[in-house]
Amino acid sequence: MNAPKTQTVTTPAGDARITWHHAEHPRAVLALGHGAGGGIEARDLRALAAALPGTGVTVALVEQPWRVAGKKVAPAPKTLDAAWTALWPALAAAGPPVIAGGRSAGARVACRTGRELGAVAVLALSFPLHPPGRPEKSRAEELTGAGLPTLVVQGGRDPFGRPGEFPAGARVAEVASADHGFAVPKRAESAREGMDAQEAALAVITETVAGWCAEISGGGRE
C-alpha cells in the first residue's frame, strides 16, 4: 500500500484537509468525513483506511475546516455541507467513482449532499438516527432521502439509534455490542478466534464495507 498523502483544499468555511490512502489499482474512492466530536483518528475510519486500499478502494479521510483550524465545536449543518461541497471536486478528480461517507455527523453530510454531488452510493457509519433518549427526534428522512444505495453500519448498543430502530428497507449492518464509537466492552466475547472483542468488531466493519464497495463498484478483490 502506498504511504498516505495529504491535500489541503480551500472552502468557504476555511481550509479542509484530505488524507489519501491510495489503492494500487483503484476501482472506487471512499470519501469519509468525521463526526462532530472527533476527527479522522476515529477507530473505524483508521481501520477502513488501513484495510480497503488492498481491496482496490482508495480511502480519502476528510477533515472539515473547523477541525483543521483546531476548533472544538462543529459549525451548523449548512456550513458542513458547504465545505464538503466545495472540496468534492478534489475527491472526484482522482478518477474512479466516489462513494460518499462518514461517521455520525459526517454520515449526515454524505446523506444530504451525495446525490447532488454525483456520488454513486453513501456509507453511513454510526448514523445518529436521533439524540440519545429522544427517539421522537428522528433524522430518518435524511437517511431515506439520500436517493442512492446506502449502507448503514451501526453498533448494537448505539444510544443514537440501535439497528432495530431504523426504518424498514434500510440496509443496516450491526456491529454487536458496539457503542456509537464502535467500542465494545472488554468483557465482551470475541466471535473470532485469535482476536479480542475490539479487533473482531473492527474486522466486521472492514469486511462488511469492503464487500459492499465491491458490490457497488462491480469489482472483486485485487
Side-chain angles (χ1 to χ4, degrees):
M1 184 177 67
N2 297 320
K5 297 180 180 179
T6 59
Q7 177 183 5
T8 299
V9 182
T10 300
T11 83
D15 285 348
R17 185 163 53 223
I18 304 172
T19 301
W20 292 94
H21 298 259
H22 288 284
E24 203 67 43
H25 302 289
R27 63 173 186 273
V29 171
L30 175 60
L32 295 172
H34 53 77
I40 61 171
E41 71 278 3
R43 58 173 57 85
D44 51 328
L45 301 185
R46 291 199 318 265
L48 289 168
L52 264 60
T55 71
V57 177
T58 288
V59 177
L61 300 181
V62 178
E63 294 174 87
Q64 283 270 0
W66 69 272
R67 186 76 182 180
V68 174
K71 297 177 181 178
K72 295 184 178 181
V73 179
K78 64 179 182 181
T79 302
L80 297 176
D81 290 357
W84 184 261
T85 298
L87 63 83
W88 186 265
L91 299 169
V98 184
I99 299 169
R103 65 165 288 102
S104 196
R108 295 181 64 193
V109 173
C111 286
R112 291 192 298 258
T113 64
R115 185 175 183 180
E116 179 182 353
L117 293 175
V120 295
V122 171
L123 173 64
L125 303 162
S126 295
F127 186 85
L129 188 63
H130 57 70
R134 301 290 302 277
E136 73 280 3
K137 298 287 187 181
S138 177
R139 302 183 182 112
E141 286 188 1
E142 281 187 355
L143 183 69
T144 58
L148 294 167
T150 302
L151 173 66
V152 178
V153 182
Q154 202 78 1
R157 59 186 185 92
D158 190 333
F160 288 84
R162 300 189 180 213
E165 295 181 63
F166 282 79
R171 184 168 178 176
V172 183
E174 179 174 352
V175 183
S177 302
D179 64 11
H180 192 61
F182 292 118
V184 297
K186 291 184 178 180
R187 65 180 182 276
E189 292 186 8
S190 175
R192 303 188 180 211
E193 187 176 352
M195 292 185 180
D196 63 28
Q198 188 63 71
E199 290 173 330
L202 292 175
V204 169
I205 296 170
T206 57
E207 291 172 12
T208 298
V209 174
W212 178 74
C213 286
E215 178 184 324
I216 292 297
S217 64
R221 295 180 66 89
E222 288 188 317

